[in-house]
């Protein structure tokens, strides 16, 4: 572990925090201070990241971002050594400084296990949860021949490998076989041409000696507790901890300037996605609800979910809104993108436009058409990333489990996804396309269309993407982290009410939901037919009691046709009654679909109405 | 952000260019600092450990893994030839006999009594790195490679496919708006780098490949033509390793797009010169764009060029790189400091630019790029 010169004392009172996130293109700094009894965001600054040539020193970007904060506050936080800590009697400095990082490509890992759907999957979960991009998952039964696996391992240059396999006391042959393949491939690390590749072994403890014999000399081998000591149990903590240690010792230590940055802070630098995951987990526990979060970036889309005790993160490494936008086109297909666009556009022209966004990724939509196209692509990127997430966010496979009448949920023990959209309490979006949408209703609609939450769900976006900093802050001061998260980070868009169904033949326009709001002494009644959307303007930070009466073919969580009495939250968009069905029913006929899209967009006040009416010629 | 616009692509008649030529693993550098090199000079070499092959000897012999050592005819470190006996099992006085032959020439690297596998290592594979351009060795990176420095004309494209190649430039069209079709390609274009205008057709790429041309540089390409040429679709903007006969570099974008006058003009001046080109593109942090390098080109004194070092200022020639003016060349008229609301309702930093037809339009600064000198 890196020796920190600036040791953190857990009992020290913290009144001010400076935190940076060194992203691949931008370094973002935030200043948090205690104002009265509350921690609040005071100011933020940003500057280009300086990991790449010609600067090759991450602290330059961090200094520039902090300097912006100095200029905005008129106070001094930096000296020649770095950030001044703790706060000095003359008012300079802050009580603590911390940082996250995804610069230089983040943390790139390869994982290996014996059985693809068991130990290899657990290893992938450990790596993803620690904030890594998983480049490949190798297993004995992955369908590739030995020489193909060896070629693949040789070709990849990961930052580290996580090797698992076998339960403690089980056969060691298979995990040894994977170890031998890795040994034969002689993998090389991505950074540092002359270094030995770090390998974490988290498999059958009885195979440790053999693994040491074959990998001990060739690689930088670390041995931790088995991540599947018995079939029924997944123990990811020790492997994740070692990943973080190696991230600091190996990856960060070789990235330009990080040795200096590490000396500025008493808290180990966290990989950005790992910190976002920590933020989501804290939020889930603080709000006492299940949470799904998504970060739609230019190159990748990360999805996080916290359902009860289960936390999962997935990275869709090639689903992004700029650099990998063509992969969205490739995976989703043109027709799936076109289904969200309410005007006609030639397929070839659309393809060329998407390619041109890929090669000039920093451009922004100038016209309404361009904005609608970009948001259509975003829906598909988010949908695909969520599909990917659901396939990995599953209970442990390989366990024989006796089901009882009390098993009301699909999760746990059977390898089925535990993502239950009816149970979801909050859906949080972040990333430029969601956070910077010109109207917040656009972000709400992208989340609704891509994730299709059911029953009642709070929708929110991260205003300025400070979840990484709040995630690392949560590791030492969850209260401060959550106060800022709730008041300054989240923009609450409003609750959505969306019935599941229809479970029979129901036509657009037939009754679906009747919702009675009891808002500030006034009773509001809304009847929304199937195939329609309705926006009820309940403002941010207001809640209201509602009684929801679904028609007999629809279910809002109490069974088909059964009423639900609950509380919903207002937001900058309002309460959205989404009666388009689950899955969302889109007309097959293009003309009919375009009219329906325009109707929905107008109902949500998403775009200028005059322009939308032109599309529909109504 | 300090720079709310896309830095332009380099189009310059005189530049100092350095190229790092690095081995994938440590090896031997074959040239010295200050030495003159040509594109095909080998500057460094190494041996990549040969491919490993695994043979499950225990399975083939039908014995337990821990017993295979007893039946091995070779030991760890021994050299073997393809077909040579590796292990043999006999029982019942030789009536039952199983044996394993080496599937390859190589060395026995490991005999595992845990899995029963034997790992054989094929002979090392030599890897050589050439200099890519005419130039001088500026710096030797011990055991890793060299940095080669050259001076000459340097043009960046926006996107390319295919790797490094060298050839003589031939401008194959009259105007930057012309389409490079199959009729523009001549029988003696073998080894040439062909310059087109607004578009290259699928037939033209095919014919260029058949005749042995080395490269095509053109304004635009139709998305589906590129997919047909490659035989697969590109999902992520990392290119350069495609196995294609002709490196294709586009300078403007996808679709029919007139090549910028400045780019076309310079390529015209370079007609007949030998160039090194590379289609490799990587659009991410550490952006890599395709390039055309003409070492040794001596530029004449040009008085018509503007000083582009000040960034965006009134008078700067720009290219608009997003709809509704995509691909149009313009000149900056005004750079209002305050944010303005554009049609998409985003509040952004904008500029006003005069198009070639004299119309003045408002464009987000993020949607223009300078044509850099």
């Amino acid at each position: 572990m890196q020796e920190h010169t600036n040791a953190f004392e857990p009992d020290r009172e913290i009144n001010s925090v400076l935190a940076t996130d060194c992203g691949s293109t931008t370094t973002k700094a935030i200043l948090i201070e205690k104002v009265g009894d509350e921690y609040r965001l005071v100011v933020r600054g940003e500057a280009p990241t300086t990991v790449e040539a010609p600067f090759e020193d991450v602290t330059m970007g961090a200094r520039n971002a902090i300097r912006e904060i100095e200029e905005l506050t008129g106070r001094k936080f930096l000296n020649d050594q770095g950030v001044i800590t703790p706060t000095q009697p003359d008012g300079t400095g802050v009580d603590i400084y911390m940082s996250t990082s995804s610069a230089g490509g983040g943390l790139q890992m390869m994982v290996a296990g014996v059985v693809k759907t068991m130990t290899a999957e657990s290893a992938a979960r450990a790596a993803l949860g620690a904030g890594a991009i998983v480049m490949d998952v190798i297993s004995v039964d992955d369908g590739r021949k030995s020489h193909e696996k060896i070629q693949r391992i040789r070709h990849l240059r990961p930052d580290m490998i996580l090797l698992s396999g076998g339960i403690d006391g089980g056969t060691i042959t298979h995990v040894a076989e994977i170890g031998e393949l890795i040994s034969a491939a002689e993998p090389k690390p991505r950074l540092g041409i002359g270094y030995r590749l770090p390998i974490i072994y988290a498999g059958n403890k009885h195979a440790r000696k053999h693994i040491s014999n074959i990998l001990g000399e060739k690689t930088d081998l670390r041995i931790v507790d088995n991540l599947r000591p018995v079939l029924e149990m997944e123990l990811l903590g020790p492997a994740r901890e070692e990943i973080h240690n190696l991230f600091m010792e190996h990856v960060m230590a070789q990235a330009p300037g990080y040795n200096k940055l590490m000396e500025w802070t008493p808290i180990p630098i966290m990989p950005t996605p790992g910190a976002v995951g920590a933020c989501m987990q804290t939020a889930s526990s603080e709000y006492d609800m299940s949470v799904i979060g998504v970060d739609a970036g230019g190159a990748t889309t990360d999805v996080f979910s916290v359902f009860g005790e289960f936390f999962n993160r997935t990275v869709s490494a090639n689903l992004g809104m700029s650099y990998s936008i063509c992969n969205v086109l490739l995976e989703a297909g043109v027709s799936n993108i076109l289904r969200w666009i309410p005007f006609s556009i030639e397929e070839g022209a659309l393809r060329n436009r998407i390619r041109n966004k890929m090669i000039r990724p920093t451009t922004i939509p100038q016209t309404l058409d361009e904005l609608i196209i970009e948001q259509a692509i975003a829906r598909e990127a988010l949908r695909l990333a969520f599909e990917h997430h659901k396939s990995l966010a599953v209970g442990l496979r390989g366990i024989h489990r006796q089901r009882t009448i009390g098993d009301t949920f699909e999760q746990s023990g059977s390898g089925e996804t535990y993502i239950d959209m009816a149970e979801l309490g909050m859906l949080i979006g972040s990333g430029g396309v969601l956070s910077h949408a010109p109207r917040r209703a656009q972000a709400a609609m992208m989340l609704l269309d891509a994730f299709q939450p059911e029953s009642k769900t709070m929708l929110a976006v991260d205003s300025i993407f400070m979840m990484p900093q709040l995630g690392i802050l949560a590791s030492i001061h969850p209260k401060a982290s959550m106060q800022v998260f709730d008041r300054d980070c989240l923009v609450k868009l409003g609750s959505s009410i969306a019935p599941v169904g229809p479970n029979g033949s129901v036509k657009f326009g037939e009754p679906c939901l009747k919702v009675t709001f009891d808002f500030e002494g006034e009773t509001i009644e809304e009847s929304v037919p199937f195939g329609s959307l309705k926006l009820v303007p309940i403002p941010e930070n207001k809640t209201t009691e509602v009684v929801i009466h679904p028609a007999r073919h629809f279910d809002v969580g109490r069974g088909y046709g059964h009423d639900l009495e609950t509380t919903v939250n207002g937001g900058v968009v309002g309460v959205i009654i989404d009666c388009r069905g689950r899955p969302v029913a889109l007309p097959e006929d293009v003309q009919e679909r375009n009219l329906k899209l325009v109707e929905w967009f107008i109902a949500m006040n998403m775009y200028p109405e005059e322009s939308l009416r032109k599309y529909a010629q109504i | 952000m300090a720079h709310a616009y896309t830095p332009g692509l380099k189009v310059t008649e005189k530049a100092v260019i350095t190229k790092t030529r690095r081995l994938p693993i440590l090896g031997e550098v074959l040239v010295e600092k200050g030495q003159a090199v040509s594109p095909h000079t080998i500057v460094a070499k190494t041996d990549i450990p040969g491919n490993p092959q695994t043979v499950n000897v225990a399975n083939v012999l039908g014995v337990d893994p821990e017993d295979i050592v007893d039946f091995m005819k070779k030991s760890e470190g021994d050299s073997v030839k393809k077909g040579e006996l590796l292990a043999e099992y006999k029982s019942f006085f030789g009536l039952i006999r199983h044996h394993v032959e080496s599937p390859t020439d190589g060395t026995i690297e490991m005999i595992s009594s845990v899995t029963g596998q034997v790992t054989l290592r094929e002979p090392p594979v030599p890897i050589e790195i050439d200099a890519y351009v005419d130039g001088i060795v500026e710096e030797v990176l011990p055991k890793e490679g060299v940095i080669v420095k050259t001076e000459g004309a340097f043009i960046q494209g926006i996107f390319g496919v295919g790797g490094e190649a060298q050839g003589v430039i031939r401008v194959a069209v009259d105007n930057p708006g012309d389409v490079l079709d199959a009729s523009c390609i001549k029988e003696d274009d073998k080894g040439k780098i062909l310059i087109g205008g607004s578009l290259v057709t699928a037939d033209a790429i095919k014919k260029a490949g058949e005749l042995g041309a080395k490269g095509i540089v053109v304004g635009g390409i139709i998305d589906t033509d590129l997919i047909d040429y490659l035989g697969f679709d590109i999902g992520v903007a990392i290119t350069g390793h495609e196995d294609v006969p002709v490196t294709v570099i586009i300078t403007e974008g996808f679709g029919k797009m007139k090549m910028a006058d400045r780019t076309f003009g310079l390529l015209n001046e370079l007609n007949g010169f030998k160039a090194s080109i590379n289609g490799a593109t990587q659009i991410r942090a550490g952006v890599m764009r395709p390039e055309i390098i003409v070492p040794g080109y001596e530029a004449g004194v040009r008085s018509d060029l503007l000083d582009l070092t000040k960034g965006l200022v009134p008078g700067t020639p720009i290219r608009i790189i997003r709809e509704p003016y995509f691909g149009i060349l313009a000149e900056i008229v005004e750079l209002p400091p305050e944010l303005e609301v554009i049609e998409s309702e985003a509040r952004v930093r904008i500029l006003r630019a005069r198009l070639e037809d004299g119309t003045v339009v408002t464009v987000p600064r993020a949607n223009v790029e300078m044509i850099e000198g």
Side-chain angles (χ1 to χ4, degrees):
Chain A
M1 221 26 234
Q2 172 78 19
E3 283 286 321
H4 292 282
T5 51
N6 201 354
F8 173 62
E9 304 147 31
D11 297 333
R12 182 166 27 120
E13 197 187 336
I14 294 172
N15 290 311
S16 58
V17 180
L18 189 59
T20 51
D21 171 46
C22 306
S24 54
T25 49
T26 312
T27 297
K28 287 140 283 194
I30 58 169
L31 175 66
I32 291 168
E33 284 189 322
K34 200 170 181 182
V35 183
D37 287 342
E38 269 188 1
Y39 289 90
R40 298 296 300 259
L41 170 76
V42 178
V43 72
R44 64 189 291 267
E46 65 178 46
T49 295
T50 48
V51 170
E52 312 273 344
F55 311 104
E56 294 186 333
D57 180 354
V58 72
T59 60
M60 288 174 66
R63 275 182 181 277
N64 291 340
I66 296 167
R67 207 160 284 135
E68 215 172 285
I69 288 189
E70 288 186 327
E71 283 166 17
L72 291 166
T73 56
R75 286 157 54 190
K76 186 173 158 68
F77 299 108
L78 291 163
N79 62 16
D80 290 346
Q81 284 73 46
V83 176
I84 305 165
T85 53
T87 308
Q88 303 297 301
D90 63 0
T92 59
V94 285
D95 290 336
I96 191 163
Y97 168 73
M98 58 193 71
S99 189
T100 59
S101 173
S102 60
L107 168 61
Q108 301 182 12
M109 288 183 68
M110 200 197 86
V111 303
V114 170
V115 181
K116 192 177 172 187
T117 56
M118 292 167 69
T119 45
E121 195 172 278
S122 293
R125 273 197 283 266
L128 287 162
I133 289 170
V134 174
M135 304 165 91
D136 203 349
V137 181
I138 306 268
S139 66
V140 172
D141 63 340
D142 66 12
R144 289 176 281 193
K145 296 194 172 75
S146 291
H147 71 271
E148 289 170 336
K149 289 176 203 171
I150 290 170
Q151 282 304 342
R152 181 72 180 145
I153 300 168
R154 292 187 81 173
H155 175 72
L156 296 175
R157 291 184 81 144
D159 291 318
M160 63 186 82
I161 294 177
L162 173 61
L163 168 61
S164 66
I167 55 168
D168 286 343
T171 174
I172 67 167
T173 316
H174 301 304
V175 69
E177 194 180 309
I178 290 280
E180 286 170 16
L181 287 184
I182 294 172
S183 167
E186 296 194 353
K188 301 278 180 276
R190 181 170 64 105
L191 301 171
I193 197 166
Y195 287 85
R196 290 187 304 163
L197 179 76
I199 295 186
I200 301 166
Y201 176 67
N204 182 354
K205 64 182 180 190
H206 298 292
R208 286 176 184 172
K209 193 173 159 216
H210 183 67
I211 293 290
S212 296
N213 286 342
I214 52 179
L215 293 171
E217 273 184 29
K218 284 184 178 175
T219 68
D220 180 4
L221 180 69
R222 313 292 175 98
I223 292 175
V224 299
D225 290 345
N226 190 353
L227 51 76
R228 283 296 278 274
V230 290
L231 214 50
E232 297 77 13
M233 191 175 149
E234 196 171 63
L235 184 70
L236 305 181
R240 279 187 181 157
E241 202 173 305
E242 195 58 36
I243 293 169
H244 280 160
N245 290 344
L246 280 168
F247 178 71
M248 285 288 284
E249 281 177 43
H250 193 90
V251 186
M252 288 290 92
Q254 286 181 39
Y258 276 90
N259 278 325
K260 238 194 291 177
L261 190 69
M262 286 193 271
E263 284 174 14
W264 290 11
T265 167
I267 302 169
I269 296 169
M270 264 173 112
T272 301
V276 175
C279 184
M280 299 274 181
Q281 281 173 285
T282 317
S284 170
S285 114
E286 200 71 16
Y287 293 119
D288 191 23
M289 58 171 68
S290 306
V291 173
I292 291 179
V294 61
D295 176 22
T300 63
T301 298
D302 284 23
V303 180
F304 305 81
S305 66
V306 192
F307 278 79
E309 61 186 290
F310 296 102
F311 163 67
N312 258 293
R313 164 180 173 258
T314 49
V315 187
S316 295
N318 288 328
L319 292 173
M321 287 306 297
S322 58
Y323 171 74
S324 46
I325 195 166
C326 287
N327 211 52
V328 181
L329 173 70
L330 200 63
E331 285 195 27
V334 177
S335 58
N336 274 332
I337 294 171
L338 284 171
R339 68 185 169 144
W340 303 112
I341 300 174
F343 50 84
S344 63
I345 176 166
E346 203 191 313
E347 192 180 314
L350 177 68
R351 296 177 66 95
N352 281 338
R353 281 191 199 208
I354 296 175
R355 295 242 179 255
N356 283 322
K357 168 79 182 182
M358 169 183 79
I359 57 177
R360 290 181 167 106
T362 54
T363 59
I364 57 172
Q366 178 171 2
T367 64
L368 189 62
D369 289 10
E370 284 276 296
L371 181 71
I372 289 173
I373 291 171
E374 194 145 313
Q375 294 182 344
I377 300 165
R379 283 172 173 86
E380 288 303 306
L382 296 173
R383 179 183 68 81
L384 290 167
F386 187 44
E387 290 295 318
H388 177 212
H389 184 80
K390 281 192 279 191
S391 70
L392 210 74
V394 292
L396 300 183
R397 292 191 240 240
I399 304 169
H400 295 290
R401 178 170 165 274
Q402 201 171 358
R403 290 181 76 87
T404 68
I405 201 154
D407 291 330
T408 48
F409 300 113
E410 290 181 312
Q411 73 255 34
S412 76
S414 57
E416 288 159 350
T417 186
Y418 59 74
I419 302 286
D420 181 351
M421 295 311 280
E423 274 296 296
L424 177 64
M426 188 185 280
L427 176 56
I428 306 168
S430 74
V433 73
L434 291 165
S435 298
H436 298 150
R439 292 191 190 187
R440 296 288 188 195
Q442 293 160 3
M445 219 26 191
M446 284 185 267
L447 290 172
L448 281 177
D449 291 341
F451 290 83
Q452 307 205 3
E454 298 166 7
S455 192
K456 184 194 79 171
T457 313
M458 181 69 190
L459 307 178
V461 291
D462 175 4
S463 59
I464 52 167
F465 199 58
M466 55 172 142
M467 280 196 274
Q469 294 98 320
L470 297 182
I472 189 167
L473 176 58
S475 68
I476 58 148
H477 205 319
K479 187 177 150 202
S481 166
M482 279 303 108
Q483 284 181 350
V484 178
F485 182 72
D486 190 67
R487 289 157 186 68
D488 301 311
C489 172
L490 278 195
V491 177
K492 289 158 192 154
L493 304 174
S495 293
S496 71
I497 300 169
V500 171
N503 69 344
S505 172
V506 180
K507 292 196 177 102
F508 280 170
E510 289 184 25
C512 177
L513 280 195
K514 204 186 286 177
V515 187
T516 311
F517 292 79
D518 182 7
F519 181 58
E520 296 184 339
E522 197 185 333
T523 303
I524 308 166
E525 272 207 3
E526 295 287 356
S527 289
V528 186
F530 175 50
S532 293
L533 275 164
K534 178 83 191 174
L535 196 60
V536 184
I538 308 291
E540 201 180 2
N541 298 324
K542 298 278 183 187
T543 58
T544 172
E545 300 301 313
V546 290
V547 183
I548 308 168
H549 318 272
R552 68 190 178 98
H553 289 296
F554 296 93
D555 176 9
V556 279
R558 289 279 184 273
Y560 284 91
H562 290 276
D563 289 1
L564 170 69
E565 287 184 36
T566 185
T567 308
V568 292
N569 298 79
V572 293
V573 174
V575 173
I576 304 160
I577 306 172
D578 180 358
C579 290
R580 298 175 300 163
R582 290 293 181 266
V584 170
L586 278 162
E588 290 284 323
D589 177 73
V590 176
Q591 190 64 28
E592 212 181 309
R593 188 175 66 220
N594 287 353
L595 286 173
K596 209 66 194 162
L597 287 174
V598 167
E599 180 198 314
W600 294 341
F601 293 174
I602 290 174
M604 286 289 291
N605 191 22
M606 277 174 74
Y607 305 106
E609 192 171 329
E610 198 184 324
S611 308
L612 288 173
R613 289 192 183 280
K614 271 187 213 156
Y615 292 143
Q617 292 169 331
I618 50 177
Chain B
M1 289 292 291
H3 299 287
Y5 64 91
T6 307
L9 302 170
K10 295 263 184 218
V11 179
T12 177
E13 41 280 286
K14 194 165 176 59
V16 175
I17 306 140
T18 56
K19 290 277 139 195
T20 303
R21 312 295 291 165
R22 202 188 290 265
L23 291 164
I25 59 169
L26 297 180
E28 185 188 356
V29 176
L30 304 173
V31 291
E32 289 172 2
K33 187 175 172 176
Q35 187 177 329
V37 288
S38 66
H40 299 296
T41 307
I42 304 300
V43 293
K45 67 170 188 178
T46 190
D47 287 329
I48 289 192
N51 282 331
Q53 291 212 18
T54 53
V55 184
N56 200 314
V57 170
N59 277 358
V60 180
L61 296 187
V63 300
D64 288 336
E66 59 265 33
D67 296 332
I68 63 165
V69 180
D70 300 339
F71 304 103
M72 288 298 296
K73 300 290 177 197
K74 298 281 178 185
S75 306
E76 284 181 5
D78 285 357
S79 293
V80 289
K81 291 277 176 208
K82 186 176 178 178
E84 205 175 331
L85 192 64
L86 283 184
E88 191 177 38
Y89 169 75
K90 284 184 196 165
S91 64
F92 287 108
F93 311 104
L95 287 175
I96 296 174
R97 178 177 175 266
H98 298 298
H99 70 285
V100 181
E101 291 174 359
S102 175
T104 180
D105 289 352
T107 313
I108 306 241
E109 186 166 282
M110 185 169 61
I111 299 168
S112 172
S113 55
V114 174
T115 61
Q117 286 195 136
V118 171
T119 306
L120 294 139
R121 178 78 58 186
E122 290 177 6
V125 182
I127 295 281
E128 295 177 338
I129 299 288
D130 66 22
Y132 171 51
V133 290
D134 282 309
I136 303 285
V137 177
E138 163 91 343
E139 190 183 336
V140 169
L141 310 167
K143 296 185 180 176
E144 291 186 42
V146 297
I147 296 171
V148 178
K149 180 177 156 186
T150 190
E151 286 184 37
F154 181 61
I155 298 169
Q156 282 179 314
I158 190 78
F159 183 78
V161 293
E164 295 173 352
Q166 285 81 28
V168 173
I169 290 177
R170 183 178 82 79
V171 179
V173 294
D174 295 331
N175 294 297
D178 291 350
V179 173
L180 178 70
D181 58 23
S183 69
C184 304
I185 309 214
K186 307 268 188 291
E187 291 299 316
D188 60 354
D189 275 338
K190 184 176 178 184
K192 299 276 169 63
I193 293 166
L194 302 167
I195 310 301
S198 58
L199 185 76
V200 61
T201 64
D203 287 351
I205 302 177
K206 191 168 171 233
K207 189 171 173 190
E210 284 164 3
L211 291 173
K214 292 288 185 185
I216 291 173
V217 181
V218 68
I221 189 169
I222 303 291
D223 153 79
T224 43
D225 288 347
L226 179 72
I227 297 168
D228 287 347
Y229 176 52
L230 295 174
F232 59 88
D233 202 345
I234 290 180
V236 182
I238 302 175
T239 66
H241 296 288
E242 300 76 21
D243 184 18
V244 286
V246 186
T247 292
V248 177
I249 295 174
I250 60 169
T251 59
E252 315 300 313
F254 284 88
K256 185 177 176 186
M257 317 237 0
K258 180 188 163 198
M259 187 184 284
D261 286 334
R262 185 185 170 96
T263 315
F264 190 77
L266 177 55
L267 286 166
N268 245 319
E269 287 178 32
L270 297 170
N271 198 16
F273 279 81
K274 195 175 110 185
S276 293
I277 61 169
N278 188 359
T281 310
Q282 187 170 331
I283 304 159
R284 216 178 168 166
V287 179
M288 184 196 285
R289 295 288 187 186
E291 63 191 12
I292 301 127
I293 299 171
V294 181
Y297 174 69
E298 299 271 345
V301 178
R302 297 272 300 266
S303 56
D304 58 331
L305 293 182
L306 285 163
D307 176 11
L308 299 177
T309 55
K310 291 176 188 158
L312 297 180
V313 291
T316 305
I318 53 167
R319 176 172 16 212
I320 304 175
I321 53 175
R322 183 103 190 215
E323 303 291 344
Y325 309 109
F326 186 57
I328 297 177
L329 303 174
E331 185 183 292
I332 295 177
V333 176
E334 190 193 352
L335 293 146
E338 57 281 352
L339 303 178
E340 279 192 23
V341 176
I342 55 174
E343 187 197 322
S344 66
E345 299 189 314
R347 273 171 63 81
V348 294
R349 215 168 281 283
I350 56 106
L351 56 78
R352 276 179 251 289
R354 184 176 291 110
L355 308 184
E356 284 173 320
D357 67 2
T359 324
V360 174
V361 296
T362 299
V363 188
R365 290 193 199 179
N367 291 0
V368 305
E369 67 186 16
M370 291 192 298
I371 303 165
E372 286 190 13

